[in-house]
Amino acid sequence: MIWDKKHECMAEGEMRRLQLERLKESVAHSYNNVPFYRAKMDAEGVKPSDIHSLKDVTKLPFTTKDDMRRNYPYGLFAVPMKDVVRIHSSSGTTGKPTVVGYTRRDLEMWAECCARFITAAGVTSEDIAQVTFGYGLFTGGFGLHYGLERVGVSVIPSSSGNTARQLMLMEDFKSTTLICTPSYAVYLGEAVNESGIKDKISLKWGLFGSEPWTNKMRLEVEQKLGLSATDNYGLSEVIGPGVAGECLEFKNGMHICEDHFIIEVIDPETLEPKEPGEKGELVITALSKEAVPVMRYRTRDISRLIPEPCSCGRTTIRMEKVHGRTDDMFIIRGVNIFPSQVESALLGIDGTEPHYMLVLYKEGAMDALEVWVEVSEKMFSDKMKNLRALEDTIRARLKSALGIAVKLKLVEPRTIARSEGKAKRIIDNREKG
Amino acid sequence: MKVKQLSIFLQNQSGRLAEVMGSIGSEEINIRALSLADTSGFGILRLIVNDKDKARAVLQEKGFTVSETDVIAVEIADVPGGLAHVLEVFAKEEINIEYMYAFVEKSSQNAVVIFRVEDVDASVNALQKKNVHVLSSQEVYAL
């Protein structure tokens, strides 16, 4: 099934014309209504009237996550608050989060984009979908929810956590569709098999996103849960889920909603465009957003575009699964984490700046994080209760800075290698899939 | 009447205790008393040695986290009820004991108990008033 044949199967020439028309409008909207974009474009000597072809998108300035933070909270909003009907923010919490707003029309567009990949994944109005993404500021829960409702799916907003309850709902409510992160899907798969309810569940479709995953994981989770699993892509700074999604038939690259997003691939060092089909950093320009237009947002995600048409009938360009990041961000249980967040959480503990190391490992199927902190003489005490209190303090600070609980290990000084220049702060013990 | 104790942070990893002992042993430093408090993740080794300055320097040189604390060493008759008598003094004076550990002297019929308390001076006074034998650091190092 194809949700929006008109746009998903549009002839290439027609699509490019539509993109150009919308790009011009969007650039003018940003320039006229967001002082930040106007200043940036003026600095580069670009005017909205300089956009004559799609290639001209490269004349526009880049936007980074730091730009969004510096404009916290409403600096990049292009409409008055009376027209904003929803506000979300990034899941990561490096300092201030990044904030995005939606007008009524933005929400419409978002639900439409989600409906496309939901339909492409095999889901129809006959289905019952269990959404185990957190509902809240995180875009995953609400994004999928509205897309599913638009398709006519019966939605169970079970939200995140409490695996035993998720399994009960899955069995009793006869969920046919599972929405979660791929690592939680593997975890649920193990739980289903351990509790012996595999014969009693009715899952057919799995839509897994918000963190990178491999085809090996796909096969594992498909076998464990007895469903067909597809990937989808999006990020809160751009809109949330809905930028691209795989088709059930081929599961070979995610179809981009090209009528709403232009994705460029650049070399993250030189910032020059890559040759078609080459790997690089994805840069996204939104074409039809009202509340927060997005101009050449540097995602830091590494992937490549697949220009060849897919046999499923959609004509839209596809992007491969995300291969990695250009920065040191990693994702634990769907939450974006930067090592610098750990650093700021540890700053000032007992007046010191402790040395630390992040150790990534697999806890069953889930990615997990252990933080090692060196115990200096200032932090050390001969009393056990003081060291326990130190552990509690560090744990609480990490939880409040990262948004999730992580394991803590106090280690002896010099356990953590000192290196010249930038210290290596991460040990990755997750097996490469 | 205070005795200096060294405390060393140990992460839970095989060979760490052996490394501490090896480091100070090879410097001819003798251990008078020790105790180890541990959790699943780490341990605190507490040592009383005959040359604490040298021991501290050697261990710090090896990269260990070391701290120094005043403790009280009390000599107790090695008979049933010996320790109870001393603990009653603490209880009556409402002195809280953080931790303690004991060992038996080689050359006499007595045991030595090490106490870690908040207020060392007040505790020593209280014990001496009740005629409890509080050992000086020289006496402990010479044991």
Side-chain angles (χ1 to χ4, degrees), chain A residues 2-11 14-15 315:
Chain A
I2 295 174
W3 176 254
D4 181 350
K5 275 213 170 93
K6 181 180 168 206
H7 293 104
E8 294 181 80
C9 306
M10 198 173 252
E14 200 182 340
M15 177 62 84
T315 53

Side-chain angles (χ1 to χ4, degrees), chain A residues 375-378 380 412-413, chain B residues 7-9 59 63-67:
Chain A
V375 176
S376 66
E377 297 204 343
K378 258 191 167 163
F380 181 51
E412 290 166 19
Chain B
S7 304
I8 299 122
F9 178 80
L59 290 170
F64 287 99
T65 298
V66 185
S67 75

Side-chain angles (χ1 to χ4, degrees), chain A residues 148-413:
Chain A
L148 288 160
E149 279 193 355
R150 175 146 305 217
V151 174
V153 178
S154 315
V155 186
I156 309 166
S158 62
S159 198
S160 56
N162 199 341
T163 300
R165 193 161 154 275
Q166 300 284 2
L167 293 183
M168 183 194 83
L169 295 175
M170 192 181 288
E171 185 184 338
D172 295 348
F173 290 12
K174 301 186 169 44
S175 312
T176 63
T177 305
L178 177 64
I179 313 286
C180 60
T181 60
S183 54
Y184 191 57
V186 177
Y187 183 74
L188 279 175
E190 281 162 6
V192 160
N193 286 282
E194 270 163 30
S195 55
I197 60 164
K198 182 149 185 217
D199 295 341
K200 296 175 189 152
I201 60 169
S202 318
L203 290 179
K204 290 196 299 192
W205 321 115
L207 283 71
F208 307 135
S210 98
E211 61 188 29
W213 50 308
T214 60
N215 278 318
K216 192 178 143 214
M217 264 174 97
R218 185 198 317 261
L219 296 178
E220 185 183 342
V221 70
E222 286 187 333
Q223 187 258 326
K224 283 196 168 125
L225 287 169
L227 48 69
S228 178
T230 50
D231 194 3
N232 61 79
Y233 178 77
L235 55 174
S236 66
E237 290 81 2
V238 171
I239 187 166
V243 174
E246 280 178 332
C247 61
L248 173 72
E249 296 88 342
F250 297 97
K251 296 180 185 171
N252 179 21
M254 295 178 269
H255 292 273
I256 298 165
C257 291
E258 283 192 278
D259 48 329
H260 297 296
F261 305 99
I262 292 178
I263 300 189
E264 300 167 75
V265 180
I266 65 161
D267 182 319
E269 301 294 327
T270 66
L271 307 183
E272 292 300 316
K274 288 287 206 172
E275 292 297 316
E278 268 187 357
K279 238 195 247 182
E281 179 182 342
L282 302 181
V283 171
I284 302 182
T285 300
L287 298 176
S288 52
K289 283 184 73 193
E290 290 183 329
V292 184
V294 180
M295 191 183 288
R296 299 193 87 197
Y297 182 72
R298 292 192 58 187
T299 65
R300 301 282 177 183
D301 287 327
I302 302 280
S303 184
R304 59 179 283 265
L305 299 182
I306 309 170
E308 298 80 27
C310 181
S311 313
C312 71
R314 291 173 185 82
T315 53
T316 43
I317 288 182
R318 287 167 289 158
M319 58 174 273
E320 265 183 9
K321 277 176 164 297
V322 171
H323 302 282
R325 301 271 307 169
T326 65
D327 56 17
D328 52 6
M329 190 189 91
F330 52 90
I331 301 178
I332 300 288
R333 279 174 272 155
V335 176
N336 300 347
I337 293 176
F338 290 90
S340 57
Q341 284 173 270
V342 175
E343 183 156 324
S344 59
L346 295 177
L347 255 179
I349 295 229
D350 284 349
T352 64
E353 292 173 32
H355 285 281
Y356 66 92
M357 181 71 99
L358 306 176
V359 183
L360 296 169
Y361 63 102
K362 284 275 184 195
E363 201 169 58
M366 310 276 276
D367 286 353
L369 171 65
E370 186 170 76
V371 177
W372 292 3
V373 178
E374 282 188 1
V375 176
S376 66
E377 297 204 343
K378 258 191 167 163
M379 298 154 73
F380 181 51
S381 162
D382 65 309
K383 294 185 203 171
M384 186 56 84
K385 71 174 180 201
N386 292 2
L387 283 185
R388 296 282 196 157
L390 174 71
E391 280 189 312
D392 289 344
T393 306
I394 297 175
R395 266 197 211 102
R397 286 202 189 194
L398 288 172
K399 173 138 200 241
S400 106
L402 305 180
I404 53 167
V406 295
K407 268 198 177 172
L408 170 68
K409 182 177 174 185
L410 297 182
V411 297
E412 290 166 19

Side-chain angles (χ1 to χ4, degrees), chain A residues 70-81:
Chain A
R70 275 196 287 270
N71 286 285
Y72 175 88
Y74 298 142
L76 296 181
F77 282 33
V79 298
M81 287 309 285

